[in-house]
Amino acid sequence: MPKLINYPHLANQVFGVPHYATPQTLNAVKTVVVPRMLSGSLTLSDLELNKINLSTNDVEATAVTSTASPVKVIPIHGLLTTRRGSINAACTELISYEKLRTDINQALNDASIKEIVLDINSGGGSATGCKELADFIFQAREIKPITAIVNYCAFSAAYFIASACSKIIISETSGVGSIGVILEHMEMSKLEENEGVKFTTLYRGDYKNAGSIHEPLSDHAMEFLNTQLDWMYKLFTESVAKYRGVDVQTIINTQARCYFGNEAISAGLADELQTPQNAINLIASQYQQQAKAQNNIKIRAQAIDHASRI
């Protein structure tokens, strides 16, 4: 079977680096990466099984769509990554911060677009690049309204993005939150010992080999990784507090908990309760009514102008 995904590269993005993601999202990726790292190949049945596992955190829902040209709907579904990339049916949906920024920027520069809607269904993803996109959205909402519709989950990195929007709309069963950072270290030294494999790494600098999979975490490595986590957590909590206009301690007090429906609104993590489709329909109808009113004014002005010429 041909190699479908660059698994070593993907593994490098999964282990030993901080993530704004739920444990379920991280586990979903590991169901694909770990078997590939520990064996020669994946069978078709393995791929199908992984596909089922990966869909656990991806709720099947009616797509949010709109035929109203003044509203641009941008989907944010599945795993969030730093740079552009693609992944096949053996994994889950994947979208990059780079692509999202491009899509939003295009909508900002399109004079026909009056409001941007982010249709979010994601358990999060990479920490790197997330704040830069969220800051961009926070600044961009001064140019045009940017509404986040949680359809049906916006956890961790996905909530980081949603919190930067002008408004967050959530349904009764939709969830937001998980404002925290997670990092996993995969140690393979025992497996390598059993297989008769030994890696010897030569390096200079106490932190150069920090987090190696070939040995248990050293004190230097633990210190280094915890420093990364503290920094990423500070960025996350302080940014959300700024975007949402609340005290940072309020965000810290959530302790990475997930909130649903009205509970999310009470916690200050969302603004309105609506089903995703109703939300987009209401947004679209506002601009349709505005366009109709402007047309009526134009018609009356033409009639007055015509009457004045008689």
Side-chain angles (χ1 to χ4, degrees):
M1 185 178 192
K3 189 174 182 180
L4 300 175
I5 303 175
N6 187 343
Y7 287 97
H9 173 73
L10 188 56
N12 190 47
Q13 308 301 312
V14 174
F15 298 106
V17 292
H19 293 283
Y20 294 142
T22 62
Q24 293 84 357
T25 300
L26 199 56
N27 287 338
V29 178
K30 288 188 297 181
T31 62
V32 171
V33 177
V34 174
R36 185 62 180 86
M37 293 174 66
L38 300 181
S39 63
S41 63
L42 288 174
T43 64
L44 181 60
S45 60
D46 291 328
L47 294 175
E48 291 302 316
L49 178 60
N50 286 327
K51 183 177 179 181
I52 294 172
N53 289 337
L54 287 166
S55 67
T56 302
N57 200 45
D58 190 14
V59 182
E60 195 69 28
T62 303
V64 173
T65 57
S66 173
T67 56
S69 59
V71 180
K72 174 65 175 179
V73 179
I74 299 175
I76 303 179
H77 301 162
L79 295 171
L80 301 175
T81 63
T82 305
R83 299 294 300 273
R84 290 190 184 211
S86 61
I87 205 158
N88 68 3
C91 200
T92 187
E93 293 174 274
L94 181 147
I95 191 167
S96 71
Y97 301 132
E98 181 183 58
K99 183 179 188 305
L100 288 173
R101 183 182 180 117
T102 298
D103 291 344
I104 293 169
N105 195 52
Q106 288 176 346
L108 289 172
N109 291 321
D110 187 338
S112 68
I113 302 299
K114 306 303 179 185
E115 182 164 343
I116 300 169
V117 171
L118 304 184
D119 167 24
I120 305 176
N121 184 35
S122 170
S126 174
T128 303
C130 185
K131 176 172 168 56
E132 288 82 350
L133 174 62
D135 280 345
F136 172 72
I137 293 172
F138 184 67
Q139 295 168 1
R141 76 187 198 184
E142 297 299 320
I143 302 172
K144 294 180 181 181
I146 303 178
T147 299
I149 296 180
V150 184
N151 181 29
Y152 282 90
C153 66
F155 295 130
S156 216
Y159 184 74
F160 204 146
I161 294 170
S163 69
C165 295
S166 312
K167 181 169 58 177
I168 299 176
I169 300 175
I170 191 170
S171 70
E172 283 189 280
T173 59
S174 294
V176 296
S178 190
I179 304 170
V181 194
I182 190 168
L183 182 153
E184 285 197 358
H185 174 256
M186 183 179 185
E187 184 196 335
M188 301 185 69
S189 60
K190 294 296 183 182
L191 176 63
E192 292 165 357
E193 183 180 341
N194 293 336
E195 294 296 323
V197 178
K198 180 178 175 62
F199 288 84
T200 301
T201 306
L202 306 178
Y203 60 94
R204 299 294 183 273
D206 290 340
Y207 298 97
K208 189 63 177 178
N209 196 40
S212 170
I213 66 172
H214 305 302
E215 59 188 44
L217 284 175
S218 65
D219 291 340
H220 285 303
M222 189 68 76
E223 176 193 353
F224 173 70
L225 295 177
N226 273 315
T227 299
Q228 277 193 303
L229 287 175
D230 289 340
W231 173 54
M232 290 289 187
Y233 185 59
K234 188 172 186 290
L235 283 179
F236 198 168
T237 54
E238 290 184 352
S239 296
V240 171
K242 175 185 175 181
Y243 302 154
R244 297 290 298 168
V246 299
D247 184 76
V248 67
Q249 191 59 47
T250 300
I251 302 302
I252 293 173
N253 288 344
T254 67
Q255 289 298 300
R257 180 184 167 191
C258 297
Y259 295 80
F260 297 84
N262 278 315
E263 185 184 30
I265 296 174
S266 298
L269 301 185
D271 302 298
E272 293 181 15
L273 192 72
Q274 285 281 352
T275 65
Q277 196 63 57
N278 284 346
I280 189 62
N281 289 343
L282 285 172
I283 292 171
S285 67
Q286 293 174 5
Y287 294 103
Q288 290 170 346
Q289 291 170 4
Q290 289 177 12
K292 184 177 180 181
Q294 290 172 354
N295 286 336
N296 288 338
I297 292 172
K298 183 178 180 180
I299 291 172
R300 288 200 299 270
Q302 291 173 342
I304 293 172
D305 179 65
H306 177 72
S308 66
R309 295 175 186 273
I310 297 176

